[in-house]
Structures are given as C-alpha cells and as structure tokens.
Amino acid sequence: MPVVGVLLWATLLTLGWRAAHPKDHGFATPRVQLSFKELKATGTAHFFNFLLNSSDYRILLKDEDHDRMYVGSKDYVLSLDLHDINREPLIIHWPASQQRIEECILSGKNSNGECGNFIRLIQPWNRTHLYVCGTGAYNPICAFVNRGRKAQGFPPSQPGGRESRSTDSPLSPRPAQSKDYIFYLEPDKLESGKGKCSYDPKVDTVSALINEELYAGVYIDFMGTDAAIFRTMGKQTAMRTDQYNSRWLNDPAFVRAQLIPDSSERNDDKLYFFFREKSADAPLSPGVYSRIGRICLNDDGGHCCLVNKWSTFLKARLVCSVPGPDGIETHFDELQDVFIQQTQDTKNPVIYAVFSASGSVFKGSAVCVYSMADIRMVFNGPFAHKEGPNYQWMPYTGKMPYPRPGTCPGGTFTPSMKSTKDYPDEVINFMRAHPLMYHAVYPTHRQPLVVRTNVNYRFTTVAVDQVDAADGRYEVLFLGTDRGTVQKVIVLPRDDMETEELMLEEIEVFKVPAPIKTMTISSKRQQLYVSSAVGVTHLALHRCDVYGEACADCCLARDPYCAWDGSACTRYSASSKRRSRRQDVRHGNPIRQCRGYNSNANKNTVEAVQYGVEGSTAFLECQPRSPQASVKWLLQKDNSDRRKELRVEGRVLRTEQGLLLRALQLGDSGLYSCTATENNFKHTVTKVQLRVLSSRAVHTVLVQAEPPPRPAGCPHSPLPGPAAAPHSA
Ligand SMILES: *[C@@H]1O[C@H](CO)[C@@H](O)[C@H](O)[C@H]1NC(C)=O
Ligand SMILES: *[C@@H]1O[C@H](CO)[C@@H](O)[C@H](O)[C@H]1NC(C)=O
C-alpha cells in the first residue's frame, strides 16, 4: 500500500514545470515539450560531441557558400559541416602561450579559468581567409585563417604544415586538414587584438568587418574600464568614441553591430550598435538603459576637436514595456539579443530584440519588434539636452548647426562636404555634448510581441524564420532561454490589436542545461544552430510527427511548418499539391480540416482497467496532448446505461494530470471517460474502467497473507492522507 501511495504523491508532485495557470498574463505552455533525451530520440538534432578540452562555445559564423559553420570557443576555432556538425570537424587548437598564461595568472586574473584564449571574433575577411581574434589570456590576439575548398593543383603541403596534434610552441598554428578542405591559421600573420577584442572573456565583443576595416564594440584596456566603439585596420584613420565620456558610453554591454544602408547613396551607410548601459540619471531612473547607436562608415573625426573620434555618433533609448493595471509601465530594460530580419528592401530590415527586466522585483522577459522607419524618425527628431547636472533632460530647442549633426559627409544632404573634417566646429562641438536623442524608440504597436512574467527563466537569444503556410506567411520565433531550452513560438493576430501567442515546442537542446548564448538559423537548410558554454547543437526547425498520429492533433498544433498529408503529420511545402494537404494555422479547426479523417482522432484513446479499495484513493490519469485543451470527465456507473458528466466536488478532485477520487465507495465503480475539447473539437483521451473492491474482502485477504501484525500502538503508515492503509475495523 505505501508503495502505491508514494507513486501517487510523486505523480502529483511532478506538476513541476507544467503550467499551473495557463491563463495568467505572460504565461505560456508549450504544446510539445521535449527533454534532451526525447529530442535525441526524434533524430532531428545533432550535438557536437567531439572530445575537446574546451568550453564557452560563443561565436557562430555561418558560411552557406562553403557549407560550413565556424565556431569559436576557449582555445579552439572549428569549422563544422552545416549538415552534420559532427562530420569531419576541422579543428584549430589556438591556446595562449604558456608564458602569457603564467603572466596572466600572476596578475590575478585566473579565478574562473579566464587565462585562456577565448575566441570572440570570427569575421569573413576575403574569399580565402577569415579574421579571428581571441582574448589571449588577457592580451588579445588576432590572426588570419585560411579556409575553403581545395582548388585543383593546390600545393598539398601547407605553410608550417604540421599535424594538428603537434605539441610544440603553443602559439604555432595547428593546421587541420581533410581531403577537400583547407583550414589553418596563417603562422606569420599574428596581430595585436587591442581595440578588436576585449581582454576579459566575461565581456562580450561585437564586431563588423566592412571593406577590410574592423568596427568593434570592446573594452580596450586590461582593467576593463575603457569601453569604446573602435575602427581599426584598413586605409582610413583609426577611430573611437570619446574616451571616458559617460554621456557617450557608460559601462556598456555590447550586443550586436549591423550595417544598415540609409539610402542608395553609399556615403550615407551607417553602422548600428545595439547595447545596454548604466544609466547616468540614477537613482531616479532604472539602473540600465537599452540603446541603439549609430555612426557613419565614412566618419573621419573632427579637425579641431574630436580628432580621430567619431563625429557622427548618436544613440537613442530602446523601449520595451507593458502597461500595468495601474497605468504604470513595466519596463524590460536589459537588452539581451537582437535578430535582424532582412526584407526585400535592404534599407528596412525588421529588428527583433529580446529584453529582460532588470529589477530584482520580478523575473521577466519580452520580445519587441522595431521598424527602421521608427528608428530613423527618432534620429531625425530633437536631441536631448541638459542645462546642468541637476536639470531635467529637455528637447534641444536652440539654433541647430549645419549640416545637421549626425549627417554623413558626401551623402544625399551634404554632397559638397567630402569629409567630417570639413564640418564646421559648431557641428563637432554640438556632437560631443549631444550624443543622445530626446525621444525613445518604441516597438511596433507600442507593445511587446511576446511577454513572459512569473516564470523562473529568462530569454537570452532570438532567431526568426519566415514560413509559407497554406493560409499565409508566418514569422516563427525561436527563443533561447537561460535554462538551456529553445521555445518555438508564433504570434497570431486576433481581433483589434489583440494577438494570440502559441508556443509550439519547448526543447532542451543540451545534455547539461546551460544558458543559450548564441543562435543562428539557416532557412535554406531548415536548421537552427545553438551554442552555450557546454557545446553546439543544431536541430531541425520542425518535427511534425511529435504532435501526434491523428489529423486533429496535427491541425490543432497549428505549426506552420506542418500539415496532415492524409496519413501523417509531415512537413508542409507550399509547392506540393494543396488539395491533399490539410493545414489551418490561423483557426486550427479540425472539424473542417479533418473531415474524413476524424475517426483517427480517437485512435490514441487509452483504455484501461483500474482497481481501487473501498475507503482508499484512486488516481485516474488523463493528460491531453495539448495544454490548451479543456478537460471533462464522464461517468457511466456499472448499474446504469447513461453517461453523465462527473461533478468535481467533495471527494472528487481535479489535478493537472487527472482525477483524484478519495474515500472510494463501492458505488464509484464504472467507466470513466476523459474528453478534451480544443477549438470546439472534442475527443476522448482516456477511458478507465474503475472497479472498487470492498474493504472487508481485501482485509480478509491481507490478514491471511501477511506476517503477524505489528505491536499495538504503532502508527500504521508513515505517509499522511490518501496513502493510508484501509482502516482496520
Ligand atoms: C583541460 O584544461 C584544463 C584547464 O583549462 C586543464 O587543467 C586540464 O589539464 C586539461 N586537460 C587535458 C586533458 O588537456
Ligand atoms: C586574403 O587575405 C589574406 C590575408 O591578408 C591574403 O594572404 C590572401 O592572399 C588574400 N586572398 C585573396 C584571394 O585576396
């Protein structure tokens, strides 16, 4: 008896991460939840499990032309096959030198193994080479990596051609070779990484290599106090943000850099930086602000002041908030990741950003979407101005110098000024004091697309795929969390401004849960690549068969990648014949979609016989496939020929996972059916024939079977409640 009791309580306690209140604001339940083991069993994922003494797989660079994924981790640069990251990985071992590691340890920096060469930058350099940088045990270093397919007649022996396992001088390159690919570090082209890569591996570096010039958001000193947006390499002068000027950058954490053209005129091209930084206005404001900043690519700095410093740097606040019931906005202030969704018009990509709430009050995150039109409007609007430290920020209303501060030289509005060095001193002086725009950038529809509150995790990353389904094009969001899962989400428009969020899947993508650090998507290959401290995984964007074997399961799942093909739930492709495919993402109405297939809906009905003893407790399990389904129990008593809805009261208790019947009576015997209804579609999930045995009969059997009774006065059962043995009358 106690054993049954333990099992029962265990079942009730494992409610764990299943939804408790699906209707709560900011709460969402996945239709399908896969553990790492279950994901493996689907055969739709690959885990990089080549044995390396590495960690912190943070940098992913996809190279679709060569079918490779370049990965940067601690002491390693990898070139992996996009189709299967375990197939013949090419490996460059690039640790810092032993001497450098010792110096680093002596300077007291190795508390968490930071004295390694953490790869933080991998950028395409030219047709044959990559540019890579690492922290170099607190002394950043950069190098060129030769990569690509072997050309016909390529010399078989590489410069410094040694086996990848050679163990001499640690800074020497270890060429990794395979039959068709070249992948090795150029031995005599090592460079200093100062201004290209941060010293501290805990600090993220963002970068963009454009026209052989490297733009990077980094901390450029050993102490990690001097943050800057830097330009190095190339023919133009080296440039940076104004040093130790907290109006420009105040303890920033860089998230992404992205070139977005402003017009067809190349001279107008701007590089956008996404970051968060400490607020200079504390304590009246949140501790952290999220920012979008930008510079002109052809900025040469000022000639009077701001020499070799950006003279076009501007920034604005990125707002992502929800109105509370009391009218006070709840802000998600800490930008975590940005995904740039390209459109037909390269000037107007759509920007998806993930934020978390910074307060200790509650844990939450949100996804907000921004348009370039809104962003440009803010940069074309008033500048923020402050008379002095104790004044409020105001829109600047004084006389505006010409050209308007932030304008690129030689562009649409300044064809005659070829360089920022030609700008009047007033423009440069104005820029130095007014890097901030007065208005903030608000998301499309002024509200987040997705919100999570009252949950014990945060979003860390976002990637978006566009999917053509039978009833239109859908944006599918893949959201990485700090507990090592990826959520696949679509947001559907409802009436008015309302939207409906559907979480299609939540998947554990690593064996050991670790916060998702980087994600990149290949629509071409229908794969999502995910990295964390513990490794790299890639998984298919869809696993249609996990939704179930019936047409109704497939239809109710409303996954735009999937459709019912007449016999199974499979990948929908817009080009295949529509008549034979059943899909209805917007309404998920199986009554209409699955006409002719409805008999399948009850194919999965579980039928069981269960025994209970009079006076004890029985638990009847019923777990509908969908957490959104509403569940009803019907009972047909043994002595009756009518089914009636079971009233949940008194001895009868409902839980997430089924029905609890306490203090069983003989009259409780009967056929219990559990039905789930979703979108007006009803089907039976379980049927249980419950047989209640009289306690007297059971007691007689027990007395005959058991060894002598325990001494009197000893409590019957260590477990309270329903697990107690039947009363010994
Ligand atoms: C792996 O790296 C750790 C520290 O980075 C080191 O202590 C250990 O000896 C290495 N193990 C092997 C097998 O190289
Ligand atoms: C690419 O750059 C590397 C490093 O500067 C150089 O050695 C190589 O010749 C270049 N390749 C081409 C095709 O320009």
Side-chain angles (χ1 to χ4, degrees), residues 547-555 564 569 594 597 600-604:
Y547 294 122
E549 291 168 20
C551 177
D553 291 332
C554 191
C555 177
W564 178 253
C569 196
C594 296
Y597 295 116
N600 282 346
N602 290 335
K603 199 161 101 183
N604 296 333

Side-chain angles (χ1 to χ4, degrees), residues 503-514:
M503 202 204 296
L504 303 167
E505 298 181 287
E506 180 166 29
I507 304 173
E508 261 177 19
V509 292
F510 296 107
K511 196 168 172 183
V512 189

Side-chain angles (χ1 to χ4, degrees), residues 39 51 74 76 83 132 140 157-158 226 243 291-292 295 368 381 396 490 500 584 592 671 694 703:
L39 172 64
L51 205 61
K74 184 190 178 192
Y76 288 91
H83 298 285
V132 298
S157 69
Q158 306 305 331
D226 185 13
Q243 195 173 22
R291 302 285 194 201
I292 176 169
I295 48 168
C368 277
Y396 179 79
I490 57 173
E500 176 187 12
D584 177 15
R592 218 176 55 223
L671 181 65
S694 115
V703 167

Side-chain angles (χ1 to χ4, degrees), residues 475-525:
E475 240 84 77
V476 181
L477 272 62
F478 294 87
L479 298 163
T481 70
D482 62 355
R483 61 175 177 183
T485 63
V486 172
Q487 297 183 357
K488 176 170 152 189
V489 166
I490 57 173
V491 180
L492 302 172
R494 225 153 45 185
D495 346 312
D496 311 329
M497 293 286 281
E498 290 286 302
T499 56
E500 176 187 12
E501 183 201 326
L502 293 178
M503 202 204 296
L504 303 167
E505 298 181 287
E506 180 166 29
I507 304 173
E508 261 177 19
V509 292
F510 296 107
K511 196 168 172 183
V512 189
I516 307 291
K517 194 62 208 172
T518 314
M519 282 193 326
T520 178
I521 210 166
S522 168
S523 294
K524 193 170 146 194
R525 283 176 186 75

Side-chain angles (χ1 to χ4, degrees), residues 328-346:
I328 297 172
E329 298 272 308
T330 297
H331 281 273
F332 300 89
D333 285 310
E334 296 199 11
L335 182 66
Q336 299 296 334
D337 192 27
V338 168
F339 180 83
I340 313 276
Q341 174 79 66
Q342 293 298 342
T343 63
Q344 298 283 23
D345 176 6
T346 54

Side-chain angles (χ1 to χ4, degrees), residues 125-129 144 186 189:
W125 171 254
N126 60 19
R127 205 166 45 75
T128 54
H129 285 69
F144 291 91
E186 290 284 2
K189 288 203 167 121

